[in-house]
Every structure is written in structure tokens, then in C-alpha cells.
Amino acid sequence: MIVCLCHRVSDREIARHARAGMSFDEIQFELGVATQCGQCETCARDVVAQCSALRPTAAVNCGTPVQAIQLAPAIAESRAWNTPLHSLAA
């Protein structure tokens, strides 16, 4: 759905920017939302608020050492896994 008619910005585009961590002010600067007539500001702010609340939080490195994952024997012995391309990288 088009939220900003003046700049032809959709709710999906606003949501994509909000999920990327941008604030309303940053989205407004980037896309021009609510900078001309202002009729879309309430709707655009609602979209940003909804997406910001649903945005998953990135994992934080707490200093825990990374552990290797052991592959199941069926996976490790697969012909597809042991192609020359993969064996060169190992």
C-alpha cells in the first residue's frame, strides 16, 4: 500500500528500513516520507513502530568461545560434501 503519495513510498519500503534498524527520522531523511504535505506522517510512524517492535534483536557476543559443530556421519561422508571444491577449502 502506498503510504506517502507525494514521494510514492509504500508501507513495505518503510517496514524494510525500520527492520534494518532505522528510526523514523532516518527513514524520513532517506525516503522523504512526511516531508511535503505531511498527511502520511501518522501512518508512516505507525508502520515504523510496528516493525521496530517486531524487529529481532541481534545476538550479542558475550565473550563465549565459539564451539565447533560435529556433522552427522551421513553428512560428512556424503559425495556432495566431499567434492574437489570443498576438499580444497579444508
Side-chain angles (χ1 to χ4, degrees):
M1 165 180 83
I2 298 296
V3 173
C4 179
L5 294 173
C6 299
H7 293 283
R8 194 163 173 80
V9 179
S10 70
D11 58 340
R12 289 182 182 186
E13 195 168 1
I14 295 169
R16 185 171 49 89
H17 282 74
R19 287 188 192 110
M22 295 176 76
S23 68
F24 177 79
D25 292 338
E26 292 169 327
I27 293 170
Q28 188 177 32
F29 181 76
E30 183 77 22
L31 302 177
V33 174
T35 59
Q36 197 160 344
C37 74
Q39 293 296 311
C40 62
E41 184 172 357
T42 303
C43 183
R45 284 187 183 275
D46 288 345
V47 172
V48 171
Q50 289 172 2
C51 293
S52 296
L54 298 175
R55 181 171 28 118
T57 305
V60 178
N61 184 356
C62 299
T64 308
V66 177
Q67 296 179 357
I69 299 172
Q70 181 64 40
L71 293 175
I75 295 172
E77 295 169 4
S78 169
R79 287 186 306 160
W81 185 259
N82 292 319
T83 61
L85 183 62
H86 286 96
S87 61
L88 290 175

